[in-house]
Amino acid sequence: MTACAQAAPRLPALLGAGETRLSAEQIYPRLFDAILEQRLPPGSALPEQALGNAFGVSRTVIRRVLGRLSDQQVVVQRPSHTAHLAAPDPEQARQVLSARRLAETTLIGLATQRARPAQIRQLRQLVERERQHHERGERCTAIRLGGEFHMKLAQMAANAPLARFLNGLVPMTSLIIARYESPCCEHCAWQEHAAIIDAVESGDGQSALNLMHEHLDRLEAKLDLD
């Protein structure tokens, strides 16, 4: 398990809870970001009452947030049981990674055809932030920004169903990395992201596709799924 997950503090502090009377739409991104940053280890319990107390909202509001994450398959909900984060086994991890590769390699081609200059600028700004956090040793934030890179790239493809599909696979991938990444691995994906942007901006679909395959190959090579 990665250092981000190992160092997890109490749930309210971990989620940045402090403000109260937040809506489900405001609470959802906090939980989502905590998953992307690996602040919540795979299998973490997500008790409705504790989350409701942390954010000063009812269990009904929390239930809506957890339901949305359940739709993305990153939270497991069962009747009469406390919801918890998914903890993919090796076979589930392989299936998620395979599905993600299929989605990403389709989306990268569409993004290369449809990307607008303003979107490219936003993507470069995101990768620059990723680089800065990486160089400051803020690995968890860099990981979250890396996930956001892929989701924004999917938005550029202008295919909403595929983008929603990837939006569930990215946090699942973060849980897989948290559980199976070798401890010696270094996260430096921002260079690969920057190269993908260059290919997309130039309209070179084949280079963008090749770079995406190489990027996903490196991600999978860091995992010990045996």
Side-chain angles (χ1 to χ4, degrees):
M1 188 172 292
T2 63
C4 301
Q6 289 174 335
R10 291 186 310 111
L11 192 61
L14 178 145
L15 296 175
E19 299 176 59
T20 59
R21 302 186 183 280
L22 300 178
S23 67
E25 289 71 26
Q26 291 171 312
I27 296 170
Y28 167 80
R30 298 191 180 206
L31 269 171
F32 191 83
D33 286 352
I35 295 168
L36 287 185
E37 291 190 4
Q38 300 180 355
R39 286 182 275 130
L40 286 169
S44 295
L46 299 170
E48 293 175 3
Q49 190 64 55
L51 288 170
N53 291 342
F55 289 110
V57 298
S58 69
R59 294 176 63 177
T60 301
V61 173
I62 296 300
R63 203 169 291 128
R64 287 203 297 270
V65 176
L66 295 178
R68 186 173 172 186
L69 290 166
S70 178
D71 289 342
Q72 295 176 283
Q73 301 183 62
V74 295
V75 163
V76 178
Q77 290 183 304
R78 290 187 297 162
S80 303
H81 287 76
T82 299
H84 61 273
L85 274 187
D89 64 31
E91 181 54 32
Q92 290 171 329
R94 292 186 185 98
Q95 291 178 16
V96 167
L97 295 170
S98 176
R100 178 167 174 176
R101 185 180 293 269
L102 288 170
E104 294 254 35
T105 52
T106 300
L107 288 163
I108 192 68
L110 294 173
T112 303
Q113 297 168 17
R114 300 172 180 176
R116 299 191 297 272
Q119 293 174 314
I120 293 290
R121 287 195 297 272
Q122 291 172 358
L123 213 53
R124 289 197 185 282
Q125 291 168 0
L126 179 64
V127 171
E128 173 59 18
R129 289 167 56 206
E130 182 186 5
R131 180 192 67 79
Q132 292 173 359
H133 284 286
H134 170 73
E135 293 183 351
R136 288 200 294 263
E138 296 165 353
R139 182 178 185 274
C140 299
T141 303
I143 289 172
R144 173 176 59 79
L145 292 170
E148 288 184 18
F149 167 85
H150 287 271
M151 291 187 288
K152 285 193 176 295
L153 193 62
Q155 292 172 7
M156 290 167 57
N159 185 304
L162 267 178
R164 284 196 296 270
F165 180 54
L166 186 69
N167 197 49
L169 296 175
V170 168
M172 280 291 286
T173 304
S174 190
L175 292 174
I176 290 165
I177 292 171
R179 193 169 195 192
Y180 296 110
E181 186 178 42
S182 300
C184 60
C185 288
E186 176 70 10
H187 177 80
C188 53
W190 70 266
Q191 297 101 321
E192 297 165 22
H193 292 161
I196 289 171
I197 296 173
D198 290 341
V200 170
E201 185 175 31
S202 68
D204 189 344
Q206 189 58 54
S207 290
L209 178 62
N210 292 341
L211 288 167
M212 182 60 76
H213 273 300
E214 292 171 7
H215 178 52
L216 296 175
D217 285 343
R218 291 190 184 97
L219 185 155
E220 293 179 20
K222 296 177 181 180
L223 304 176
D224 182 6
L225 297 175
D226 294 326

